[in-house]
Amino acid sequence: MHSHESHIQNFSILVQLILVLPFLISLVSYIVAVFYSNQHKKNWSHFRTMSWILGHLCAIITLIGPFAELTHINFSAHMVGHLLLGMLAPLLIALAAPMTLLLRTIPVKTARLISRILRNSYFSFVRNPIIATILNIGGLWLLYTTPLFNMMHESSILFILIHIHIFLAGYLFTIAFIYIDPTPHQQSYIFRSIVLLVALTAHSILSKYIYAHPPNHVSSEQAELGAMIMYYGGDAIEIGLVYLLFYQWFNKTRGSLSTKVIPSS
């Protein structure tokens, strides 16, 4: 990859601060909302609060500090950063149910307005599992199989935009398959399962492609190690996503069966 001198020149503190600032604001806002909500309603789940904090920590250590700088010059570290920012952080943040917390914290009138906005057809479109997969997995294919990966390390603006996309696409991908927050336009479990299987396959194939075809300025040794991190690390996080999807499916099916076997009086 690039030399350390080139990295220092391009990867400024300002870039790190721009990327990490939204996460710091989001982290503090959520905790303030939890305290405010607990004063008026039932205590908010500690599990959700911890998921929010851990998800943000995964993103923050990827975007600022020594590890963030290492991801810029070491492809293996870069791939660990990809797993943290694009997969684990979105999953943990989705589990924190931020929209549910927001809706129960703000005034009822504002909550109803936000609910109507979320029912907009645009949100239904981008949250479709197929669209979310194209934005997330398709974006990764574009990044690692074209000169875009090299361009990202030459342009601070491109670096910022791509990292914002990696997180947002990862979050959108997660909430397209598992429903933690209120979801107006729900897709069937069968449809989500099929699309998820295709998406996970495409992610695995990409890691094997990187193993055989390293991105520009990445050595074969670094590419092979990075590809294995992407393959096996991605599998570990994807197992969690699959488990949650099937767990929700199982609960819904069990509820339906229980309703059927209970005789009506």
Side-chain angles (χ1 to χ4, degrees):
M1 294 181 73
H2 299 272
S3 66
H4 186 66
E5 289 75 17
S6 174
H7 152 66
I8 292 297
Q9 181 180 356
N10 294 323
F11 194 63
S12 67
I13 293 296
L14 179 60
V15 171
Q16 297 184 40
L17 290 176
I18 291 174
L19 283 170
V20 83
L21 185 59
F23 286 99
L24 293 176
I25 295 174
S26 171
L27 176 60
V28 173
S29 299
Y30 186 97
I31 294 174
V32 170
V34 170
F35 278 111
Y36 179 79
S37 177
N38 286 348
Q39 292 178 346
H40 301 84
K41 298 183 179 180
K42 181 181 176 182
N43 281 350
W44 187 248
S45 163
H46 294 306
F47 169 78
R48 289 180 173 178
T49 303
M50 286 305 302
S51 294
W52 187 262
I53 294 173
L54 290 175
H56 278 68
L57 289 178
C58 288
I60 289 171
I61 63 174
T62 307
L63 299 173
I64 192 168
F67 180 72
E69 295 186 3
L70 184 62
T71 64
H72 198 61
I73 57 175
N74 183 290
F75 189 71
S76 302
H78 164 85
M79 199 52 72
V80 174
H82 156 66
L83 296 179
L84 292 175
L85 181 65
M87 298 183 72
L88 186 56
L91 177 59
L92 291 170
I93 288 174
L95 289 174
M99 188 54 64
T100 302
L101 176 62
L102 175 64
L103 292 177
R104 85 172 206 160
T105 302
I106 60 179
V108 174
K109 187 175 181 180
T110 307
R112 289 174 178 169
L113 174 62
I114 293 177
S115 296
R116 285 198 297 271
I117 294 174
L118 293 177
R119 287 195 293 270
N120 187 284
S121 58
Y122 168 77
F123 291 102
S124 173
F125 174 75
V126 298
R127 195 168 177 172
N128 184 290
I130 295 177
I131 301 301
T133 297
I134 293 173
L135 291 174
N136 187 29
I137 308 300
L140 293 177
W141 272 90
L142 184 65
L143 176 63
Y144 293 117
T145 63
T146 70
L148 187 61
F149 181 76
N150 189 42
M151 293 166 60
M152 177 181 71
H153 292 92
E154 300 292 341
S155 167
S156 295
I157 294 177
L158 198 56
F159 185 88
I160 292 172
L161 292 177
I162 288 176
H163 278 71
I164 292 174
H165 174 84
I166 287 175
F167 171 76
L168 291 180
Y171 181 73
L172 178 65
F173 181 81
T174 303
I175 64 174
F177 291 96
I178 59 171
Y179 299 153
I180 305 297
D181 277 319
T183 307
H185 307 281
Q186 297 193 4
Q187 303 291 340
S188 72
Y189 283 101
I190 292 179
F191 176 67
R192 281 184 277 158
S193 298
I194 293 173
V195 178
L196 181 59
L197 177 61
V198 173
L200 301 187
T201 302
H203 190 265
S204 297
I205 293 175
L206 177 59
S207 63
K208 294 179 179 179
Y209 182 89
I210 293 173
Y211 188 95
H213 304 88
N216 290 337
H217 303 290
V218 177
S219 67
S220 298
E221 294 77 12
Q222 282 285 311
E224 291 172 1
L225 181 56
M228 288 191 289
I229 292 172
M230 182 180 184
Y231 185 86
Y232 293 109
D235 277 356
I237 300 172
E238 288 161 356
I239 287 173
L241 188 62
V242 171
Y243 170 80
L244 289 170
L245 175 62
F246 285 2
Y247 179 76
Q248 291 181 338
W249 193 354
F250 170 75
N251 277 342
K252 183 174 182 178
T253 304
R254 183 176 60 177
S256 300
L257 291 175
S258 300
T259 303
K260 290 179 180 178
V261 298
I262 296 175
S264 58
S265 57

